[in-house]
Amino acid sequence: MTLTAERLRTWRRAATSIVGLLIFYELVARSGYFPAVLLPPLGKVALTLWTTVTDGTMLHHAAATLYRVLAGMTLAVIVAVPLGVLMARYKSVENFCLPLASALMPIPSLAWVPVFILWFGLGNTVAILIVFYAATFPILLNTWSGVRAVNPLWLRAAGAMGANGQSLFWKVMIPAASPFIITGIRQAFLRAWIAVIGAEFLAASDWGLGWVIFDAKEFLNADLMLASLAVIGVIGFLFERLFFGSIEKATVMRWGMVRAAKS
Amino acid sequence: MTDAVQAASASPAAPAAPGGQALRIIARNGFPFLVVGIIWEIVARSGMFPRKLFPPLEDIASAFWRLTVSGILPHHALETLLRLIAGFALAAAVGVLIGIAMGRSRRTEDYTLPIVAMLAPIPGIAYAPLFLLWFGLGNLPAILLVAFVSTFPIIFNTWTGVKAVKEIWLRSAQAMGATDHKVFRHVILPGALPYILTGLRLGLAQAWRVLVGVEMLAAVSWGLGWLIFGAREFLNTDVMLAGVAVIGLIGLTLEKLVFQKVEDYTLVRWGMMR
């Protein structure tokens, strides 16, 4: 069997399996065993998705969620990357921060939601801080190990060629640590994406994909829930593939760091 | 050059006092907590925030002690752990089976992968309201959601692990006359084990993160997530923080004791990793 035929077979099977799953769902939904509000047929879910996207509400919800994620992530990057670099460069900072980080890391971010609600009230602040909490640790630990993993030979070579501290930092250390840092940000995004949905469930404000799902439960709008789930999945997927993929291309690959990172 | 001299002069002194060394490590790890504790205490006592919302450490400690002695906190923790174990056991059984099937059979891989890849990118907690709607409140949706969420890393890693078993190991085992059963038991399983353990570890971490969240939503009668969420209604910040501390302790224990022990035992014993 040739390679293309094999690939064709894989695609055919993938399509069969997804279509089969959808047909199965449709049959179960229409069988009448379960109430239609709980298990809406696919046409209804698609219709809900279409109407909410076209009248802009879904986009508004998505924008609110994205705003929270990006604000929290930005905050986390601003705090965690410099701190990680400092931890790797100065033993005293490492000795101080590492025990704290390893004690705080195993606490799931969602456990803080009720505490943060008490402290900061309902609304954006809680969600952003929860995202910040969830995103900080992966970035911190990856930056730390990335900077420590910088080949000392490169630093010495650059030093011997007369690089001063600043250019050593920007031209050697940061590019060399970038694969780790970007991996950290990527992991952080996955966690942040989970955290923001959970935070929106609990610290309900008026907008946000998590809030829509939670609110739809009260009114038994399973179609709206499934439509929002699809939007959440698509956004997460796009971010993971397109956004981080292109960042990686623009930085790590351009700097030729990928091979060094793998070795 | 000076580094080398210093290192040479320092190294004979270090192993001379192993007791002092251990003490130093404890002191070094304890110091940051001491600093943070003191800052917390100063802020809490300064009157900047109401004591109800920002309790000093002794309030948290006494809440912890009160709840532990009366058996409330252990009960919450026990129920949470039981849910975690039930959900995770389900996920481990299903995930490893699916993963092995996907790794061994091309057909299964082709049919299963698209579905798994479609469901996996949605954060697990987002399914929670749907599960609550379908399965009602209480234990069932919580356990099912935990299982559902932690299955994905287990499937992906098991699948990768089985596919990463070297062809040459399989061929040589077969050439030496091993039956399919034996090849599976003695070659594929140990070969894929490091990946499977990684998957289980990631799965457990995800399960733990989601469980705390879903306990807040599912209105279970006992559980650490519910303890924290319920205490909010009465502004019992001390109880909430004590609960958060217990959650952190359990998380740390799971990570350090359970998985590092399992990994050390199996991987080193089977010679998969040194």
Side-chain angles (χ1 to χ4, degrees):
Chain A
M1 195 183 256
T2 59
L3 199 67
T4 42
E6 200 167 320
R7 188 168 292 168
L8 214 66
R9 195 186 62 186
T10 303
W11 278 108
R12 205 186 56 231
R13 281 176 172 173
T16 317
S17 126
I18 287 185
V19 170
L21 186 74
L22 294 180
I23 290 176
F24 176 73
Y25 176 88
E26 194 70 13
L27 284 179
V28 174
R30 290 186 181 274
S31 67
Y33 277 115
F34 305 99
V37 278
L38 296 188
L39 219 58
L42 290 169
K44 204 161 167 241
V45 177
L47 190 69
T48 310
L49 185 61
W50 176 248
T51 49
T52 48
V53 167
T54 46
D55 73 6
T57 47
M58 189 61 91
L59 300 179
H60 193 157
H61 287 305
T65 304
L66 276 178
Y67 163 69
R68 287 173 194 136
V69 170
L70 293 182
M73 287 283 294
T74 313
L75 216 57
V77 171
I78 291 173
V79 172
V81 172
L83 195 60
V85 173
L86 286 178
M87 275 170 67
R89 299 298 292 163
Y90 300 104
K91 192 75 187 161
S92 54
V93 181
E94 181 186 307
N95 282 342
F96 189 81
C97 292
L98 200 58
L100 289 177
S102 43
L104 286 177
M105 207 170 43
I107 304 177
S109 46
L110 289 180
W112 289 106
V113 175
V115 183
F116 282 12
I117 292 177
L118 271 192
W119 285 350
F120 306 107
L122 295 173
N124 270 339
T125 321
V126 174
I128 291 173
L129 284 177
I130 292 293
V131 168
F132 169 67
Y133 183 90
T136 299
F137 296 111
I139 303 178
L140 184 69
L141 293 184
N142 277 287
T143 308
W144 172 59
S145 44
V147 174
R148 285 200 322 169
V150 172
N151 194 339
L153 211 61
W154 298 346
L155 292 179
R156 284 201 209 147
M161 285 187 270
N164 59 6
Q166 209 174 10
S167 60
L168 207 64
F169 181 78
W170 288 109
K171 296 272 169 66
V172 181
M173 216 180 301
I174 291 293
S178 61
F180 286 83
I181 298 177
I182 288 175
T183 309
I185 295 178
R186 220 172 175 154
Q187 284 175 7
F189 179 78
L190 286 180
R191 289 210 191 173
W193 196 230
I194 297 172
V196 75
I197 303 294
E200 282 179 353
F201 283 163
L202 299 164
S205 31
D206 292 347
W207 296 98
L209 293 168
W211 185 79
V212 185
I213 296 185
F214 200 65
D215 193 53
K217 182 175 79 91
E218 307 290 313
F219 304 104
L220 293 182
N221 275 336
D223 47 345
L224 186 56
M225 289 166 83
L226 288 170
S228 319
L229 270 178
V231 173
I232 291 176
V234 168
I235 294 179
F237 184 79
L238 287 183
F239 250 90
E240 171 67 20
R241 284 295 151 89
L242 297 184
F243 185 66
F244 285 110
S246 52
I247 282 191
E248 222 161 47
K249 271 206 193 96
T251 57
V252 180
M253 290 184 189
R254 203 171 70 102
W255 293 338
M257 291 311 307
V258 171
R259 201 165 305 143
K262 273 181 187 161
S263 69
Chain B
M1 205 60 209
T2 46
D3 285 359
V5 173
Q6 272 168 4
S9 62
S11 54
Q21 190 84 355
L23 215 65
R24 270 232 319 265
I25 290 175
I26 292 174
R28 202 171 61 204
N29 286 329
F31 176 69
F33 295 99
L34 198 68
V35 172
V36 171
I38 289 172
I39 294 174
W40 179 284
E41 200 67 14
I42 290 173
V43 174
R45 290 183 174 276
S46 67
M48 248 188 293
F49 306 105
R51 191 182 172 120
K52 259 300 190 199
L53 291 185
F54 205 94
L57 290 174
E58 70 260 26
D59 281 17
I60 301 172
S62 83
F64 178 79
W65 180 245
R66 198 177 68 235
L67 292 174
T68 309
V69 169
S70 60
I72 294 175
L73 201 54
H75 190 169
H76 281 296
L78 185 72
E79 295 253 329
T80 298
L81 277 179
L82 286 179
R83 246 172 243 131
L84 182 72
I85 292 169
F88 180 67
L90 198 62
V94 173
V96 170
L97 280 181
I98 294 180
I100 289 178
M102 278 168 71
R104 291 303 294 157
S105 138
R106 187 63 197 267
R107 187 184 294 265
T108 319
E109 181 184 331
D110 284 349
Y111 282 121
T112 326
L113 192 60
I115 296 176
V116 175
M118 195 170 72
L119 293 176
I122 302 177
I125 191 82
Y127 291 103
L130 203 61
F131 274 56
L132 293 181
L133 210 56
W134 284 348
F135 304 109
L137 293 173
N139 269 329
L140 185 67
I143 292 174
L144 285 179
L145 186 71
V146 167
F148 183 77
V149 168
S150 57
T151 313
F152 291 110
I154 300 176
I155 291 179
F156 276 120
N157 281 284
T158 309
W159 172 55
T160 319
V162 172
K163 292 198 96 172
V165 172
K166 287 203 181 75
E167 194 65 25
I168 198 159
W169 295 352
L170 295 178
R171 291 221 195 117
S172 46
Q174 272 156 358
M176 287 185 271
T179 56
D180 279 357
H181 178 74
K182 269 205 161 146
V183 169
F184 180 76
R185 171 94 177 64
H186 293 289
V187 181
I188 294 173
L189 213 51
L193 195 74
Y195 292 86
I196 297 179
L197 285 179
T198 307
L200 291 176
R201 198 171 179 163
L202 290 174
L204 188 65
Q206 286 220 2
W208 180 237
R209 254 177 258 138
V210 141
L211 178 59
V212 173
V214 80
E215 278 184 351
M216 296 181 188
L217 299 168
V220 291
S221 42
W222 291 92
L224 290 170
W226 178 243
L227 170 79
I228 299 175
F229 198 61
R232 189 177 66 103
E233 307 287 316
F234 308 103
L235 291 181
N236 283 333
T237 316
D238 46 352
V239 175
M240 290 162 76
L241 290 171
V244 170
V246 174
I247 287 175
L249 275 180
I250 294 178
L252 200 64
T253 316
L254 286 177
E255 180 67 17
K256 293 276 158 179
L257 292 183
V258 181
F259 271 96
Q260 270 174 17
K261 284 274 149 57
V262 170
E263 211 165 67
D264 290 352
Y265 181 71
T266 49
L267 295 188
V268 175
R269 204 177 79 112
W270 290 358
M272 294 307 303
M273 219 165 74
R274 258 164 293 240

